[in-house]
Amino acid sequence: MADEVKAKTPGVRMRRIARTILAWRIESGQDQVEVAKAVGWSNAKQSRIETAKLAVTPVDVMTLALHFGRPADERDALFRDAQTAQSSRWVEQISADAFAADVRDYVALEAEASGVRIFKIDVVPGLFQTEGYARAISKLGSAPDDDQYEERVQARIRRQARLQDEAPLGVRCVLTEAVLRLQVGGREAWLEQLRRIAELMELPNVDIRFLKSANGAYRAMGYPFSVLGFEDNEPDIGYIELLGTGVYLEKTAEVQPYVEAFEELWTSAEEPDGSRELLREIIGAAG
């Protein structure tokens, strides 16, 4: 149809819109045929909208929102997303909710990805965190009456199933030595976290390497980041986590410097045997 534009490489926001519309339909109890007939377009279009294979328009979003009887604030928020869905880069505030929109987007992308490259400077990635470590991190900056930090903890733990499911996520991760030595959550929680990292290093789809502090300066100092990779020749998506904000990078020209930086970090990091030895040394010294 003339008014349909194929979304060749759906961006983060387009994927979010598709997930939301699919959730609306499932909640309504209707199938795709019923919805398509009610709103006046083809079954194929409805399917492509729900799988982010079609660049859904703000008008389409409004049509579906009205059909499903969604609240005005929810409808208007998704309408605004559709207006800017083709943007290749943006910054969003991360709210105090257990799973704010930005975090949901990243986790959803992670679930779709075939692999991820992670570089962290002073914190263990959420994919690797133990409950004790995640709890200590989640409490940082929380108000005394914040009762959602435990939900954030459990959300991080649930993500880790992706490491050992039927099609496990491939992970290449570079951590600075500082990540290993920072005693987050107290000595026992810290040691538990180090042992968890040691266990994960034995998984065939997880490769974790460390940058020794004694080796001095390195590429990308001060800039932790992740790069998500996908099958079917979809382009990489970069993610930079800042204080209270998340930046997605979707243009190849923007993502490529981080891909190159990661490869340099990978080369500078200790090989698997050296990384395991460094971890054993730190655990042994603490014991």
Side-chain angles (χ1 to χ4, degrees), residues 42-189:
S42 69
N43 301 343
K45 176 174 178 176
Q46 184 64 29
S47 175
R48 290 196 292 272
I49 286 175
E50 293 180 8
T51 54
K53 294 178 180 177
L54 179 69
V56 63
T57 68
V59 172
D60 290 342
V61 167
M62 187 63 68
T63 298
L64 289 165
L66 291 171
H67 170 71
F68 291 122
R70 306 310 299 187
D73 57 346
E74 184 180 357
R75 176 194 69 206
D76 294 345
L78 204 67
F79 180 85
R80 289 192 296 271
D81 275 351
Q83 288 179 311
T84 56
Q86 299 306 308
S87 298
S88 59
R89 182 176 183 269
W90 66 88
V91 180
E92 291 190 273
Q93 288 298 118
I94 298 177
S95 76
D97 294 337
F99 242 20
D102 182 86
V103 181
R104 284 197 303 270
D105 285 342
Y106 182 83
V107 174
L109 285 170
E110 190 178 76
E112 296 172 14
S114 58
V116 61
R117 285 153 281 182
I118 304 170
F119 172 53
K120 291 290 189 182
I121 295 169
D122 57 5
V123 65
V124 173
L127 273 174
F128 304 158
Q129 290 177 11
T130 62
E131 286 198 33
Y133 189 100
R135 192 167 287 114
I137 291 293
S138 295
K139 282 184 177 179
L140 294 175
S142 296
D145 60 348
D146 181 8
D147 60 356
Q148 293 185 316
Y149 77 87
E150 187 62 30
E151 294 178 53
R152 291 192 288 271
V153 171
Q154 296 308 317
R156 292 187 187 194
I157 300 305
R158 285 194 295 272
R159 285 171 57 195
Q160 297 175 16
R162 185 71 174 84
L163 296 176
Q164 294 178 279
D165 64 14
E166 294 181 0
L169 181 69
V171 182
R172 295 169 66 201
C173 178
V174 176
L175 305 177
T176 68
E177 185 176 338
V179 174
L180 304 179
R181 295 190 180 278
L182 193 59
Q183 295 193 24
V184 174
R187 184 177 180 280
E188 291 307 314

Side-chain angles (χ1 to χ4, degrees), residues 191-242:
L191 283 172
E192 181 186 26
Q193 180 62 72
L194 295 186
R195 295 186 185 106
R196 172 61 175 163
I197 292 173
E199 293 173 357
L200 291 171
M201 291 174 77
E202 301 309 313
L203 294 178
N205 56 302
V206 177
D207 197 341
I208 307 172
R209 304 188 183 186
F210 309 125
L211 284 170
K212 282 189 172 181
S213 300
N215 291 345
Y218 53 85
R219 176 76 181 271
M221 286 185 69
Y223 298 97
F225 61 88
S226 300
V227 178
L228 293 153
F230 303 87
E231 295 179 346
D232 300 324
N233 295 316
E234 285 195 39
D236 292 338
I237 293 178
Y239 181 73
I240 306 169
E241 186 175 345
L242 306 175

